[in-house]
Amino acid sequence: PRNFGIDQLISPSDIHLLQAIGDNPESNGRNISEILGITPGAASQQLTKLSKRGLITKVRGQKNEKEISLKLTPLGKTAYDNHAIIHEKVYQKIINRIGLLSPDELCMLERVLIAVESVYDERIEEVRESLSLCGRKPSKCQPREVNA
């Protein structure tokens, strides 16, 4: 977990959930699950946690009370904005080291970096989950078969 300018640490999966909500205003849990490639149930669990932490609000629809849209709270918006700043700084460092690229090359590079980051974030969460299931420090965990 990292500090994104608020008084609580946020895991990679949670900050990317906030990013999906911030990038897609008025979305709902099903939309977010599709964007992130996770099950609606997993999205619902994470969204409930973010809501309890004061990072998002769930707003019932005016026409349809079953319809719930998601919004960032001011605290969630601060984390979202700081996450975007971190991404921009990283991208700029990489771009500066690569040199001049055409707009098409820049778009492709950005897509590649986002994909790589996403894969690493998922892997980090998988490792954390396997360690928490084991209930021990990494060095004392029983070996388990893990797909790389």
Side-chain angles (χ1 to χ4, degrees):
R2 292 187 63 177
N3 183 321
F4 291 95
I6 62 173
D7 63 350
Q8 50 185 293
L9 298 178
I10 301 176
S11 70
S13 60
D14 286 346
I15 196 64
H16 289 116
L17 188 57
L18 290 176
Q19 179 183 10
I21 294 166
D23 290 349
N24 301 279
E26 306 296 323
S27 57
N28 60 35
R30 184 165 297 282
N31 300 128
I32 296 300
S33 71
E34 290 172 2
I35 290 166
L36 295 176
I38 59 177
T39 66
S44 178
Q45 288 178 350
Q46 283 186 277
L47 292 169
T48 298
K49 289 177 187 177
L50 292 179
S51 179
K52 287 179 181 177
R53 292 174 64 187
L55 299 170
I56 65 167
T57 57
K58 298 177 179 180
V59 181
R60 293 211 179 269
Q62 292 177 353
K63 295 180 181 176
N64 180 354
E65 293 232 355
K66 289 185 177 182
E67 186 178 303
I68 296 177
S69 62
L70 304 167
K71 294 184 180 184
L72 297 176
T73 63
L75 195 62
K77 177 81 166 95
T78 297
Y80 169 83
D81 290 341
N82 286 321
H83 178 250
I85 290 167
I86 291 168
H87 273 261
E88 186 58 33
K89 286 179 181 178
V90 169
Y91 295 155
Q92 282 304 313
K93 282 183 180 182
I94 292 168
I95 288 168
N96 289 340
R97 290 184 186 169
I98 291 173
L100 295 176
L101 298 174
S102 72
D104 286 344
E105 290 172 322
L106 285 173
C107 285
M108 178 58 75
L109 178 59
E110 182 179 22
R111 287 178 50 210
V112 169
L113 293 174
I114 289 169
V116 168
E117 180 182 37
S118 173
V119 169
Y120 275 105
D121 286 344
E122 289 171 11
R123 183 66 184 131
I124 288 167
E125 283 303 308
E126 288 171 4
V127 169
R128 282 196 182 118
E129 287 174 17
S130 70
L131 293 177
S132 69
L133 289 174
C134 157
R136 296 185 178 101
K137 292 182 180 179
S139 61
K140 295 182 180 179
C141 276
Q142 297 297 319
R144 292 182 354 146
E145 185 176 18
V146 178
N147 297 333

